[in-house]
Amino acid sequence: MNHSDDPTQFAVDLTNCDREPIHQLGRIQGFGFLVAASMDWLIQHVSANVGAFVDGSPETLLGEPLDALLPASAMHAIRGRLQLLTHNEGSERLFGFDLLGTGRLFDVAVHVSGHSIVIEAEPSAEGPSTNPGTLVKSLIARIQRTDDLSGLFRESVRQLRAVTGFDRVMLYRFADDNSGEVVAESARSGLESFLGLHYPATDIPKQARALYVRNQIRIIADVIAEPVPIEPGLDPNGEALDLSLSLLRAVSPIHIEYLKNMGVSASFSISIVIDGRLWGLFALHHYSARHLAMELRSTTELFGQMISLIIETRLQKEQRRAEEKVRDLHDRFVGKIVSATPSVEALADFADDLRQIVPCDGFAVYAKGTARSFGHCPLPDDMPALARFLNRAAASRIYATDELAAVHPPAENYADRVAGVLAIPISRSPRDYLLFFRKELVQTIHWAGDPASKIGAFGPNGPRLSPRKSFEAWQETVRGKSQAFTEAEHKAAETLRVSILEVLLRFNEETERRQSLAAQRQELLIAELNHRVRNILSLIRALIVQSRPGVRSVDEFAAIIGGRIQALARAHDQITKQNFAAQDLSEIIQTEVQAYIGNKAGRVRLEGPDIHVEARAFSTLVLVFHEMVTNSAKYGALSDSSGSVTVAWHIDADDMCRIDWRETGGPPVAPPSRRGFGSTIIERSIPHDLGGEAEVSYHLSGLSARFGLPASHYQLRDGASQRPLIGEAPQTAATMTETGSLHGLSALIVEDNMIIALDAEQILLDAGLAKVFTAASVADALAIIDAEAVDMAMLDVNLGSETSFALVGPLNRKNIPFIFVTGYGEALDLPADAGAVESIKKPFADHQMLAALARAKGGKSAAV
């Protein structure tokens, strides 16, 4: 075939790498085979290796009906799967399916490509089938326990590595310019870390990113394996089969070279797609050939989709939190300028508020050709030229750049002070601006090799772009740019622009309205002032009259009157203010005591927890304790020189705040002969207004009262509680001493159940161990024992087809203490050389495992 007639034979020159037809390579990977049929079920294409799996060859199969190759059961199943496809996107899969009717089981993927039905099959993996739902549920449960995105990223790569067995698992996050950074990594020991390295956008070209969105998993089982051609390469219309949704699609020669340059022998990727855009990738590398069964690949695809949703949810939550913070700042700012006399020039008085809404290093208000500046800003002489530039660039919209000198060359003159600007136009003519400036942020970026090292090379198909060969960390220093203004900051600036314009435009109307109401308000205020002054004068007159008896001098009288008037003012303010918060119960009582009994305040004792009374109950309690204090001063314990009052409160089992008022040492008390308004307030206010309780008792020894305040009307501050806390029993001193001895050590977990191994690993890491190694077989465990420094080991007795007893000798020779974990109950027959080793039974609690390992490390032995 002439290469010039075959689009699968292509040349990639130095300018069209992004147009490399990687979806039409015309080849598949050889661990499976492909059959493509027309919509009327005639075979159009087959892979060249089809004869290794079915009876027939490309020559005998092409053009034949598909049911000549597949039995009726397979045709029925494939038709059913096609029915499930939505808009011909994605693929449907069958696992462990007798595709050919021969008893040999295959994993099958079916999708539609153009006018063809594409069937891909690979032999099913031997051994037990994966339960995708159970596995994904277990993985997601661990990931959801993480506190933040960084923890989520770390746990995700750790879980994927445990499930897939790849040497390295990375989470690669894309930036706005399509470059990327490794934000999380889990790798076997001995491998160089790629964490924190950046990769240029050219490493994953545009068409590859598009395929990652459409086909969200990608396996490359063996980098050096020869691809298998699809025959024929072109259909009768001269078009190659589109393999965008293929699971077996071969690999671009450029990408093969890229992986070889990295020393990678197999790879697997899982896309993270958020809002239809490729947000990131899980990139899995292995340094020898590695194939994952289709069922496990499909399970990780589901895992990737779930992780995408979790990341999207957490990103949205962070964004909402940031937007709420900015909205609060914005609302406070608007409230301030509305209450002030706003003008464009006066906005500079609110510089601190505006700089919180859009964080910056410098801020200026440019109005009527004059600038008021704060912080790092251009000089006043530079402002007119910048304003003229913004007049051309902004066009009554927000304008922002993080590299001002690149678009406005005069900014080079003040690059030492300003590198970026966000401008908010706040008038039409002359155009005035709020200007938020940011300084140069010198960035040091660590690249995985020099991003400019992709150079022209001559490949087998002509000139092309050659992948760089060095992936050693390469450092680049970026100057002349500021921290970029984020999308959230753009939104905040636009909201600010609209709000300021609304306030400024409506200010004249508001001013006129206020002027029209001024006279009416003045008359109302005068009338209200007259009413209040009369009431205050009456209260002061009563204080003067009641304070006169017993006073020995004018100075003493003045001091008493002054103190009581001040206390009365404080109490009056507490009662009448509008938007008051919860008030301390002790302060409520103290205010009344100070106001009405003066120098007898020392005879009132208050005791109880830190209770704050809610606003809706405050006025009622103030009135009740006002009556209690004044009655005691007139008739009770505070009416003579020897009596005292104790007010104590506590929370009972029903969460009721019980307040006890006890008077002692005063004159004998008798029930009042008539009931006045004060008694009504004391006995009925709390039950009626607050749904609480009130009870007053008159004893010769002194009056006592008990009030009950429901839980809805108070707060118990400082986390205090008089109810017992319910939770796990605390560790004993002995247990804490034992488990504390594990800090900083390393341990080996030998367990064939991946979920149990991960749980045990997390328990040990949370307990302070420095390193935890896991092994699923005796061979893996022996390799770790030989290669790593291990301080202790935990051995599951049953490892499927073997036991862990073979590890007893190697552990003893290296003097490594160990314990056994078993599900056999009491009937465990340990080998003789195990000695008096301790064993714990499944399921075990965290503290059981930690304590047993601590005892083993400390030379203790016990049977559990």
Side-chain angles (χ1 to χ4, degrees):
M1 179 181 293
N2 189 325
H3 288 178
S4 64
D5 297 331
D6 185 354
T8 67
Q9 303 294 326
F10 52 86
V12 182
D13 63 30
L14 299 180
T15 61
N16 73 348
C17 186
D18 275 347
R19 294 189 295 276
E20 180 188 3
I22 59 176
H23 62 302
Q24 293 179 330
L25 292 176
R27 298 173 178 85
I28 64 169
Q29 299 178 68
F31 56 81
F33 70 94
L34 176 146
V35 176
S38 63
M39 292 299 175
D40 55 354
W41 303 100
L42 296 178
I43 299 176
Q44 297 174 312
H45 299 273
V46 294
S47 57
N49 66 344
V50 66
F53 299 93
V54 306
D55 291 333
S57 64
E59 293 77 11
T60 60
L61 293 174
L62 290 171
E64 291 293 323
L66 185 61
D67 57 12
L69 174 65
L70 303 181
S73 60
M75 294 294 294
H76 175 77
I78 290 171
R79 288 176 184 273
R81 291 297 170 177
L82 286 173
Q83 185 68 39
L84 296 176
L85 288 177
T86 304
H87 304 299
N88 293 335
E89 284 295 323
S91 64
E92 282 292 321
R93 293 153 201 176
L94 296 163
F95 305 117
F97 180 63
D98 186 2
L99 178 66
L100 304 175
T102 61
R104 186 181 183 186
L105 301 182
F106 289 87
D107 293 336
V108 182
V110 182
H111 72 273
V112 175
S113 176
H115 299 290
S116 299
I117 299 166
V118 180
I119 302 165
E120 300 173 281
E122 55 191 80
S124 295
E126 297 181 359
S129 174
T130 304
N131 185 326
T134 301
L135 181 56
V136 171
K137 180 180 178 182
S138 174
L139 297 177
I140 294 299
R142 286 170 174 74
I143 286 166
Q144 286 182 321
R145 289 199 292 264
T146 57
D147 296 327
D148 54 22
L149 278 174
S150 296
L152 184 150
F153 297 159
R154 290 192 301 271
E155 187 64 19
S156 296
V157 296
R158 194 172 75 89
Q159 298 283 340
L160 274 178
R161 183 166 167 253
V163 168
T164 63
F166 272 71
D167 290 332
R168 185 196 305 273
V169 179
M170 299 174 288
L171 176 53
Y172 181 85
R173 180 176 184 175
F174 291 104
D176 291 336
D177 62 359
N178 293 317
S179 65
E181 178 187 2
V182 178
V183 296
E185 178 185 54
S186 176
R188 66 171 170 81
S189 59
L191 291 180
E192 175 189 5
S193 176
F194 291 164
L195 183 63
L197 293 184
H198 289 71
Y199 291 77
T202 52
D203 275 14
I204 303 180
K206 179 171 61 178
Q207 79 278 27
R209 292 193 295 272
L211 280 182
Y212 278 126
V213 174
R214 293 192 66 196
N215 196 350
Q216 296 181 10
I217 54 174
R218 173 71 162 138
I219 182 76
I220 303 174
D222 189 352
V223 166
I224 64 174
E226 284 295 323
V228 177
I230 294 174
E231 298 185 1
L234 302 176
D235 65 15
N237 296 318
E239 296 181 358
L241 183 64
D242 187 335
L243 298 175
S244 296
L245 298 178
S246 168
L247 300 185
L248 299 177
R249 175 167 51 89
V251 189
S252 157
I254 292 179
H255 190 55
I256 288 291
E257 186 176 347
Y258 180 90
L259 293 175
K260 286 180 179 179
N261 289 347
M262 292 187 74
V264 174
S265 297
S267 75
F268 181 54
S269 63
I270 307 166
S271 303
I272 300 177
V273 179
I274 294 178
D275 197 20
R277 179 176 172 269
L278 187 63
W279 181 90
L281 283 174
F282 287 109
L284 289 71
H285 288 173
H286 208 65
Y287 295 91
S288 60
R290 184 168 185 79
H291 174 257
L292 294 182
M294 186 188 294
E295 186 174 21
L296 182 54
R297 302 201 306 269
S298 299
T299 300
T300 61
E301 181 181 25
L302 176 59
F303 171 79
Q305 291 167 350
M306 296 294 292
I307 286 295
S308 298
L309 293 173
I310 293 172
I311 291 175
E312 181 177 16
T313 299
R314 295 202 180 184
L315 289 173
Q316 289 175 347
K317 184 177 180 180
E318 289 184 356
Q319 183 177 351
R320 285 197 304 272
R321 189 180 296 119
E323 289 176 350
E324 288 170 1
K325 179 180 178 182
V326 170
R327 186 162 54 247
D328 289 343
L329 293 170
H330 172 270
D331 292 346
R332 286 202 293 269
F333 163 72
V334 171
K336 288 181 180 180
I337 64 172
V338 166
S339 62
T341 304
S343 66
V344 173
E345 298 86 348
L347 291 175
D349 298 333
F350 303 96
D352 291 341
D353 300 277
L354 290 164
R355 292 175 71 176
Q356 290 184 65
I357 297 173
V358 181
C360 58
D361 301 304
F363 171 76
V365 176
Y366 185 81
K368 298 179 181 179
T370 304
R372 286 184 62 186
S373 303
F374 306 84
H376 294 264
C377 298
L379 295 176
D381 292 343
D382 297 315
M383 286 292 194
L386 177 59
R388 289 193 297 272
F389 163 74
L390 293 172
N391 289 345
R392 294 184 289 110
S396 299
R397 295 191 301 270
I398 302 296
Y399 177 81
T401 176
D402 60 356
E403 197 172 4
L404 181 59
V407 292
H408 179 54
E412 289 281 4
N413 298 327
Y414 46 87
D416 57 330
R417 297 188 302 280
V418 170
V421 64
L422 183 147
I424 303 178
I426 51 174
S427 65
R428 291 185 178 273
S429 180
R431 189 167 291 161
D432 303 320
Y433 294 98
L434 300 183
L435 301 170
F436 300 83
F437 297 105
R438 286 182 176 174
K439 298 188 299 182
E440 177 187 48
L441 179 64
V442 180
Q443 299 181 71
T444 300
I445 301 177
H446 296 276
W447 295 96
D450 184 351
S453 66
K454 286 190 171 187
I455 59 174
F458 195 85
N461 300 311
R464 63 175 176 77
L465 201 63
S466 176
R468 65 186 186 280
K469 296 183 179 180
S470 173
F471 291 86
E472 295 181 358
W474 185 85
Q475 185 170 297
E476 178 186 14
T477 301
V478 178
R479 303 191 66 97
K481 298 181 70 173
S482 71
Q483 180 180 352
F485 293 93
T486 65
E487 181 181 353
E489 289 165 344
H490 276 257
K491 291 180 180 179
E494 177 61 25
T495 303
L496 198 58
R497 183 185 75 87
V498 173
S499 297
I500 290 173
L501 288 176
E502 287 182 351
V503 170
L504 293 176
L505 289 174
R506 294 179 182 179
F507 176 64
N508 290 335
E509 296 179 4
E510 181 66 17
T511 301
E512 293 176 2
R513 187 182 68 83
R514 289 182 178 181
Q515 289 175 347
S516 67
L517 294 175
Q520 300 176 37
R521 287 186 174 181
Q522 186 175 14
E523 292 178 4
L524 290 173
L525 287 173
I526 291 173
E528 178 67 16
L529 178 63
N530 182 54
H531 171 72
R532 293 195 178 198
V533 168
R534 287 177 180 275
N535 286 342
I536 292 172
L537 290 175
S538 297
L539 286 172
I540 292 176
R541 179 180 179 280
L543 280 177
I544 292 173
V545 172
Q546 293 177 13
S547 301
R548 184 174 58 186
V551 175
R552 290 168 295 189
S553 67
V554 173
D555 291 340
E556 182 182 0
F557 181 72
I560 292 172
I561 289 297
R564 289 181 177 176
I565 290 176
Q566 289 176 3
L568 180 60
R570 289 194 299 270
H572 183 266
D573 180 63
Q574 284 180 302
I575 295 172
T576 58
K577 63 184 177 180
Q578 294 293 322
N579 297 318
F580 54 88
Q583 297 288 328
D584 192 308
L585 176 60
S586 62
E587 291 183 3
I588 293 174
I589 301 171
Q590 287 173 351
T591 298
E592 296 303 317
V593 169
Q594 291 290 343
Y596 296 106
I597 62 174
N599 58 6
K600 298 180 183 179
R603 290 156 59 185
V604 178
R605 180 182 177 187
L606 308 179
E607 54 186 44
D610 188 6
I611 297 293
H612 277 54
V613 177
E614 295 288 358
R616 56 184 176 275
F618 178 59
S619 296
T620 300
L621 285 185
V622 166
L623 291 174
V624 168
F625 285 112
H626 167 75
E627 293 299 325
M628 295 297 295
V629 169
T630 54
N631 284 349
S632 181
K634 291 178 181 179
Y635 315 112
L638 301 179
S639 64
D640 61 12
S641 60
S642 60
S644 63
V645 175
T646 299
V647 186
W649 56 90
H650 68 279
I651 310 300
D652 68 10
D654 297 324
D655 287 339
M656 183 80 78
C657 178
R658 298 291 181 181
I659 307 171
D660 292 311
W661 175 290
R662 297 189 303 277
E663 298 186 14
T664 57
V669 175
S673 56
R674 68 178 183 85
R675 299 182 60 79
F677 181 64
S679 298
T680 301
I681 289 176
I682 293 172
E683 295 176 7
R684 299 181 61 181
S685 292
I686 292 177
H688 182 272
D689 294 345
L690 307 180
E693 300 174 3
E695 179 184 352
V696 181
S697 301
Y698 299 90
H699 306 285
L700 290 177
S701 58
L703 180 141
S704 66
R706 166 168 280 203
F707 305 101
L709 185 64
S712 59
H713 295 296
Y714 70 85
Q715 303 171 11
L716 188 59
R717 290 297 177 92
D718 297 329
S721 176
Q722 297 188 12
R723 290 176 292 177
L725 294 175
I726 301 174
E728 290 188 359
Q731 288 183 303
T732 65
T735 302
M736 290 188 288
T737 301
E738 288 176 342
T739 57
S741 65
L742 303 179
H743 188 81
L745 301 180
S746 62
L748 167 63
I749 298 171
V750 184
E751 168 63 65
D752 64 330
N753 185 293
M754 182 265 297
I755 304 301
I756 297 175
L758 287 174
D759 281 339
E761 177 185 3
Q762 193 61 53
I763 292 168
L764 293 177
L765 291 174
D766 290 344
L769 271 76
K771 289 184 178 180
V772 179
F773 306 96
T774 60
S777 66
V778 170
D780 291 344
L782 288 173
I784 293 171
I785 293 169
D786 290 339
E788 306 289 349
V790 177
D791 294 312
M792 67 195 76
M794 187 177 81
L795 313 178
D796 182 19
V797 173
N798 188 351
L799 300 177
S801 60
E802 58 184 348
T803 71
S804 60
F805 293 158
L807 298 173
V808 171
L811 290 171
N812 284 337
R813 285 191 291 275
K814 283 207 167 187
N815 199 27
I816 299 174
F818 59 91
I819 65 171
F820 281 115
V821 176
T822 177
Y824 288 114
E826 305 295 340
L828 179 62
D829 188 12
L830 297 177
D833 55 350
V837 67
E838 183 170 350
S839 63
I840 58 176
K841 297 189 296 292
K842 295 179 181 179
F844 51 81
D846 298 5
H847 69 274
Q848 284 181 295
M849 183 185 77
L850 294 173
L853 284 172
R855 287 191 291 271
K857 180 62 180 171
K860 300 177 182 178
S861 294
V864 177

